[in-house]
Amino acid sequence: RYAQILFLSCVSCVSSGGAAGPRLNNNQLYKFSYTTEVLVDRAKGSKEGSAGYRISSDVNVNLVWRDPSSKDNQLIQLAISNVRIDHATHRSEKKNVLHGSTAESVLGKTKLAALTKPFLLHLKNGKAKAFYSYWAEPATIKNLKRGLASLLQVQLNTGKVIENDVSGRCTVEYKAVKGQVTRTKILETCKTAETGFTTHSQVLGVSRKSSSVTTFTLEDGFIHSAVAEETHSLAVNARRSAAATVVSRQTFTFVGTEAGPLEAAGKDVAGVVKSIDAKLAAVGIVAEKVKSQCKGCPSLFEHWQTQQKQLEPASLSKATAPRSFLALLQSIRKASKGEILTVLKSASKTSLPQVVDAVTSSQTDASLDAMLEFLNFTDAKGLVLQERFLYACGFASHPNERMLQVLLDISKGKIGSTDIKESVVIIMGALVHKLCQKGGCNLPTVVQVKKLILDGPGSTQVESEVQMYLLALKNSLLPEAIPIFTKYAESEVGAYSTIALTALQRYNVNLMTDAVKQTVNRVYHQNRRVYEKNVRAAAADVILSSNPSYMEVKNLLLSIGHLPHEMNKYMLSKIQDILHFQMPARSRFYRYILLPFIVYYIFGSSSAFSGFMAQSADVTSTYSLDILYSGSGIMRRSNMNIYGASKGAMLHGLQVAIEAQGLESLIAATPDEGEGDLESFAGMSALLFDVQLRPVTFFKGYSDLMSKMFSMTGDPINVVKGLILLTDHSEVIQLQSGLKASAEFQAGLAIDISGGMEISLWYRESKTSVNNRGALVLTGNVTVDMDFMRAGVEVSFEMEASLDFITTVQFSNYPFLVCMQMDKTTFPFSEYLTKYESVPSGKSAVSHKSRKQLVPGSEFPLHQENSNMCKKVFDSSW
């Protein structure tokens, strides 16, 4: 207590006259104790304690120089000594990687010497103006010193300021109350050189909540103690239990004083620093990057050899596939172009498509260069690998301008396959959307591609090319494309109209102008010409999803009963679905309008139904099934959608649409109005995670239809198959202590979507199927790696699931029988927690926890009418 009183009496304290910050006296050495610790764990903590470590030391502080004209302009010296390194929480001897060690054995002699070498801090009005140390010192050591120096910044009056410290340039709020100052750093304002990346989709993304509070206890206006606590919690938006937290604490406590060195003479700080040690330099107080070196880590090729079996097609429905995909992706991100090419060239023919997925998804310059050298787009035989590359670009979590430029260059060159040419342009649209979302709409390459796809539909008369450009625009969601879609909505070509209308439905309702709505209403009500049923159905979807007016809804309802037979039933089913599910917030408004108009005696087999797949506090998943038949009983359009919603954000996870036309001649039936001249056609279109993919054709033309009718096996046709990087979040969290935490969250999905269509003229039965198989793995790692000690936590979960949608139609009699089935199989779900600590000597400690459960399968409920139909279809006695 005597030492404390002596210390305080020696300090020029803050008074109402007002020092801006603490002032040190000449010829005094101030002694402090200092500890900094870091802990990592899952968000809720765990019984066995967090992983992490604590660095403790003594710190001597003395005044080196003061500006004679300003007492608040000071140069001070700090010297760390008596360094100890321990675990942050209690460990048994078996799990204590630091047992029997010393600071020197952990840090090494060189690093310990650097840490204990004195350094200088220039304080002006309580703020750090310069930090002086040695360039030759390891970055980790300089950062620890910066963390201590930053703790000495304090403002003695309430207010908000911008400060530079180890965390970067940050907005800081001070609150001063009798003898205490609280400093709250607004971490989201901090600007640093190290930037990470995250997934563009909020539903699939990762959220971080951070806080940093330092409490200074003051006596007579000077620091008695400083206690800082900083917390960062990261959670997966779709499953917030998959979360990790890093906590950093600093404690700086006054111990006493003793006689110290005299103040140095000099006119300015720079001259004084040079006179003390010419090697001292202003190295900046903001933390510098630390390159982590992995000692003993396998090369990319060695890593590939351990993972390749899990990436064979036979394993793609198992969780081992996306887990190996994520592990390989991390290795690829650290590899050179040459190393990546070695793996591509050594992979088996069957595993190569999965390697292409991993290499492209890594999104590094080296990986993109390797893919460009490996793929030959002039070779039509390489279609599978080329399309896997393009789809991986479309699903890219954080594409850059160069990736778009690469696709633009490919589109201008010779391409061996027409399908690939279409995919290149369609995927460019998806990249334009993602880059515009990040504020890159005015980048030179984006501007070029925007012009290409906006001018595209009007630049060609080839139907497939017009569709290609329209699909690219559908992916881009450019507001400038709305007039183009409005124009093509009234096209005489049904395919153009359908693409245009389904694209308009994806836009924000605020962009649906009166002119757009008038056009869509003209299409539905056929004011200018007759349209195909599926075009009118698409127009109805746009009307109902675009905040329709009273008269729009009334006119739509009045049309029911005057439409082609099956469309009457489809529209009635659509309205009933809205009433019971889709728009609860507007249900009173809709009921008021609709109830007087609903005609319950309309017969038919077409239907529309929506329901919940899963509901939780984090995410709500819904599905919708729409199916429209021709009057002859042949399916005209089948549309399955799955959506995910989280915290106000929406993700269109999946859309599989099967369309068929011109098949009435097979059963000697009469086509519906406006559909007598349609060419025989059946195909499938898929939209996956907000990215429209190239449509797949089952058959086109009567001769193609007949040849495939007799060779039809019922086996599904693959629409999309591969490995997709769903979640991709990477950041370096600079802690105020000078330590750094790296956070990596990735989710990988192995997916196989296929569809098929069978028609039996003998049994007068048709069957369409959409089969979805998938395995999902998410891993989240938060690691503090100081190169002399490493601590971290990994949270992860995995699941394997399948979802089938089958429609069976018996058209031997009218009304024909339709049975729709949507089945989810029982699937396993597993969660894991791993914590680890290690030191350079090789000693390590790892703890594992897991929880597994089976999620029961189910058949998703559709409307009662469908259930009654299914009983008749599958009742052999009927």
Side-chain angles (χ1 to χ4, degrees):
R1 184 66 181 166
Y2 172 76
Q4 182 181 330
I5 294 171
L6 177 65
F7 166 65
L8 293 170
S9 67
C10 292
V11 176
S12 300
C13 301
V14 177
S15 66
S16 58
R23 296 174 183 170
L24 279 71
N25 271 356
N26 185 25
N27 197 29
Q28 293 289 328
L29 184 69
Y30 307 111
K31 303 178 77 67
F32 291 83
S33 66
Y34 175 61
T35 63
T36 180
E37 64 181 28
V38 63
L39 303 100
V40 288
D41 206 339
R42 65 178 182 181
K44 294 181 180 179
S46 47
K47 291 179 181 178
E48 62 274 12
S50 304
Y53 48 92
R54 178 189 298 117
I55 302 173
S56 306
S57 67
D58 298 333
V59 177
N60 292 339
V61 183
N62 67 275
L63 179 69
V64 174
W65 172 87
R66 173 180 281 117
D67 185 346
S69 62
S70 173
K71 292 184 177 180
D72 287 316
N73 188 6
Q74 307 164 100
L75 182 67
I76 64 173
Q77 178 176 277
L78 297 94
I80 297 171
S81 61
N82 190 23
V83 180
R84 290 95 61 200
I85 301 177
D86 308 291
H87 284 287
T89 55
H90 175 72
R91 293 283 183 275
S92 64
E93 186 176 321
K94 184 179 179 181
K95 292 187 176 182
N96 189 341
V97 299
L98 293 170
H99 180 70
S101 65
T102 64
E104 185 173 319
S105 66
V106 174
L107 287 169
K109 195 171 183 179
T110 303
K111 286 194 177 80
L112 180 60
L115 184 61
T116 54
K117 198 164 188 178
F119 57 98
L120 302 177
L121 176 66
H122 179 199
L123 278 179
K124 188 173 183 180
N125 298 325
K127 309 296 182 186
K129 288 299 177 183
F131 169 77
Y132 295 91
S133 195
Y134 300 90
W135 285 115
E137 288 178 342
T140 51
I141 299 301
K142 288 204 290 286
N143 285 345
L144 282 172
K145 290 180 174 182
R146 290 179 172 112
L148 171 59
S150 296
L151 195 60
L152 298 187
Q153 291 198 99
V154 60
Q155 177 175 301
L156 302 181
N157 58 301
T158 297
K160 190 179 283 188
V161 294
I162 295 175
E163 290 183 351
N164 292 322
D165 70 3
V166 66
S167 303
R169 186 169 177 80
C170 312
T171 300
V172 178
E173 187 172 4
Y174 284 93
K175 287 187 179 177
V177 183
K178 292 181 182 179
Q180 185 172 295
V181 174
T182 302
R183 179 176 70 191
T184 302
K185 189 183 297 181
I186 305 170
L187 291 168
E188 54 269 26
T189 66
C190 294
K191 296 178 181 178
T192 63
E194 292 190 90
T195 56
F197 51 80
T198 194
T199 307
H200 76 284
S201 167
Q202 186 179 330
V203 177
L204 298 173
V206 173
S207 296
R208 172 158 69 95
K209 288 185 177 180
S210 302
S211 65
S212 174
V213 178
T214 305
T215 303
F216 299 90
T217 304
L218 307 171
E219 289 190 17
D220 296 328
F222 198 83
I223 300 172
H224 177 248
S225 67
V227 177
E229 180 161 318
E230 184 176 357
T231 303
H232 302 268
S233 295
L234 297 100
V236 178
N237 292 337
R239 189 173 180 83
R240 293 186 178 272
S241 61
T245 298
V246 55
V247 178
S248 171
R249 297 190 182 102
Q250 291 171 279
T251 305
F252 189 66
T253 307
F254 170 70
V255 175
T257 63
E258 61 183 48
L262 293 172
E263 181 182 340
K267 292 182 180 180
D268 54 35
V269 171
V272 173
V273 171
K274 190 173 182 181
S275 68
I276 294 171
D277 188 339
K279 291 183 180 179
L280 276 168
V283 295
I285 198 163
V286 177
E288 60 189 274
K289 291 184 179 181
V290 177
K291 291 184 179 180
S292 58
Q293 295 181 343
C294 190
K295 297 175 182 177
C297 288
S299 66
L300 174 60
F301 185 74
E302 290 169 335
H303 194 175
W304 158 241
Q305 288 179 313
T306 65
Q307 303 290 341
Q308 58 182 331
K309 285 185 180 179
Q310 283 72 43
L311 293 177
E312 291 291 345
S315 301
L316 283 184
S317 60
K318 299 174 184 175
T320 51
R323 193 170 284 279
S324 294
F325 165 72
L326 293 178
L328 186 63
L329 183 143
Q330 292 290 357
S331 290
I332 293 170
R333 283 183 167 167
K334 300 169 188 171
S336 66
K337 172 186 170 183
E339 291 174 301
I340 297 168
L341 279 169
T342 300
V343 170
L344 286 166
K345 291 173 181 177
S346 67
S348 65
K349 186 177 180 180
T350 50
S351 67
L352 186 54
Q354 288 70 257
V355 179
V356 169
D357 291 337
V359 171
T360 311
S361 298
S362 66
Q363 298 166 74
T364 65
D365 287 340
S367 65
L368 193 55
D369 289 340
M371 288 308 309
L372 290 176
E373 184 169 323
F374 183 74
L375 295 175
N376 178 10
F377 283 89
T378 63
D379 182 9
K381 294 178 182 178
L383 184 144
V384 172
L385 296 181
Q386 293 163 21
E387 193 141 67
R388 291 286 276 265
F389 164 73
L390 294 171
Y391 284 175
C393 289
F395 297 129
S397 56
H398 55 283
N400 56 21
E401 185 183 13
R402 184 172 178 243
M403 180 179 279
L404 182 61
Q405 182 65 57
V406 163
L407 297 193
L408 181 60
D409 292 342
I410 291 170
S411 72
K412 292 177 179 178
K414 183 181 177 183
I415 299 177
S417 164
T418 303
D419 289 346
I420 293 300
K421 180 183 177 182
E422 291 176 5
S423 286
V424 169
V425 176
I426 292 168
I427 295 303
M428 280 199 291
L431 293 186
V432 164
H433 175 57
K434 291 182 179 182
L435 289 167
C436 284
Q437 274 188 316
K438 294 194 300 181
C441 241
N442 293 320
L443 292 170
T445 308
V446 176
V447 172
Q448 285 185 62
V449 175
K450 281 166 61 178
K451 185 175 186 337
L452 173 71
I453 60 178
L454 286 167
D455 294 346
S459 68
T460 178
Q461 298 298 315
V462 180
E463 186 174 320
S464 62
E465 291 183 358
V466 175
Q467 289 187 49
M468 170 186 76
Y469 287 118
L470 289 175
L471 288 169
L473 289 171
K474 181 179 177 181
N475 267 338
S476 75
L477 282 179
L478 290 168
E480 306 97 297
I482 290 177
I484 297 172
F485 290 133
T486 305
K487 171 189 171 184
Y488 280 91
E490 295 188 281
S491 170
E492 294 182 3
V493 181
Y496 297 172
S497 299
T498 302
I499 294 170
L501 289 164
T502 55
L504 287 172
Q505 196 175 358
R506 298 186 68 199
Y507 280 93
N508 187 303
V509 67
N510 296 326
L511 295 173
M512 295 293 103
T513 63
D514 289 341
V516 175
K517 289 187 174 186
Q518 287 167 9
T519 300
V520 176
N521 276 278
R522 280 199 304 269
V523 173
Y524 176 77
H525 294 290
Q526 301 190 127
N527 296 134
R528 293 183 176 175
R529 58 178 299 272
V530 175
Y531 292 92
E532 301 165 32
K533 285 193 304 300
N534 59 327
V535 172
R536 297 183 72 187
D541 289 341
V542 178
I543 293 169
L544 292 170
S545 63
S546 301
N547 196 18
S549 67
Y550 176 93
M551 286 308 299
E552 283 180 303
V553 176
K554 182 178 178 179
N555 288 335
L556 192 147
L557 263 292
L558 285 170
S559 72
I560 297 177
H562 305 282
L563 302 168
H565 204 73
E566 280 298 323
M567 189 155 179
N568 277 326
K569 182 63 173 62
Y570 174 81
M571 289 305 301
L572 177 60
S573 184
K574 192 79 177 175
I575 297 302
Q576 290 171 326
D577 187 47
I578 289 171
L579 283 177
H580 97 273
F581 180 79
Q582 288 190 332
M583 300 182 183
R586 296 179 57 81
S587 60
R588 285 189 179 182
F589 170 72
Y590 271 90
R591 285 184 188 278
Y592 176 72
I593 302 175
L594 303 181
L595 286 176
F597 295 97
I598 292 182
V599 186
Y600 286 100
Y601 55 81
I602 290 177
F603 296 105
S605 302
S606 300
S607 64
F609 188 82
S610 302
F612 290 103
M613 294 190 73
Q615 288 178 282
S616 71
D618 302 325
V619 68
T620 298
S621 179
T622 60
Y623 68 91
S624 67
L625 295 172
D626 295 357
I627 189 161
L628 176 64
Y629 289 93
S630 68
S632 58
I634 293 178
M635 190 207 73
R636 192 71 175 82
R637 184 184 78 163
S638 168
N639 199 356
M640 180 179 76
N641 291 278
I642 296 176
Y643 296 91
S646 176
K647 308 300 180 187
M650 179 73 76
L651 172 71
H652 199 166
L654 175 66
Q655 180 186 75
V656 179
I658 297 178
E659 289 198 14
Q661 65 180 38
L663 304 183
E664 284 76 12
S665 59
L666 291 174
I667 55 173
T670 303
D672 290 341
E673 180 190 21
E675 300 185 356
D677 298 326
L678 294 180
E679 183 182 31
S680 298
F681 167 82
M684 178 185 288
S685 173
L687 183 148
L688 192 58
F689 303 112
D690 282 331
V691 177
Q692 171 72 56
L693 307 180
R694 179 182 60 81
V696 174
T697 300
F698 296 154
F699 57 79
K700 187 172 185 180
Y702 189 77
S703 59
D704 189 25
L705 163 62
M706 295 312 295
S707 67
K708 287 179 179 173
M709 277 284 294
F710 291 108
S711 62
M712 196 176 283
T713 63
D715 294 334
I717 296 175
N718 181 259
V719 179
V720 60
K721 186 174 188 176
L723 291 154
I724 300 172
L725 186 61
L726 286 187
T727 300
D728 192 16
H729 181 93
S730 177
E731 65 176 314
V732 174
I733 302 171
Q734 178 58 58
L735 304 173
Q736 185 176 288
S737 61
L739 302 174
K740 288 177 186 277
S742 60
E744 296 277 344
F745 280 74
Q746 277 88 30
L749 176 69
I751 194 167
D752 184 352
I753 300 176
S754 56
M757 185 175 183
E758 293 179 71
I759 301 176
S760 171
L761 299 181
W762 182 261
Y763 293 105
R764 298 183 76 79
E765 181 178 278
S766 71
K767 182 179 285 188
T768 59
S769 62
V770 176
N771 311 111
N772 304 277
R773 302 283 181 272
L776 173 69
V777 171
L778 179 136
T779 63
N781 266 289
V782 176
T783 307
V784 179
D785 189 350
M786 288 295 292
D787 73 33
F788 55 80
M789 186 168 179
R790 187 169 181 261
V793 62
E794 179 182 279
V795 291
S796 69
F797 67 81
E798 62 183 40
M799 58 187 287
E800 301 166 3
S802 65
L803 181 69
D804 297 324
F805 173 45
I806 301 169
T807 305
T808 306
V809 183
Q810 292 181 350
F811 48 84
S812 53
N813 294 296
Y814 193 86
F816 39 86
L817 299 177
V818 179
C819 172
M820 293 186 293
Q821 298 165 281
M822 188 169 172
D823 298 331
K824 175 187 71 177
T825 59
T826 297
F827 64 88
F829 181 86
S830 304
E831 293 180 284
Y832 303 95
L833 172 66
T834 303
K835 282 181 276 192
Y836 46 89
E837 296 172 324
S838 62
V839 289
S841 65
K843 288 178 72 175
S844 63
V846 181
S847 67
H848 298 282
K849 284 184 71 176
S850 64
R851 185 176 67 178
K852 300 183 180 182
Q853 60 179 318
L854 280 178
V855 179
S858 64
E859 183 170 336
F860 289 100
L862 302 176
H863 44 80
Q864 185 59 47
E865 186 181 344
N866 180 70
S867 300
N868 297 337
M869 285 260 197
C870 289
K871 288 177 183 176
K872 290 182 179 181
V873 168
F874 294 110
D875 186 352
S876 58
S877 63
W878 181 76

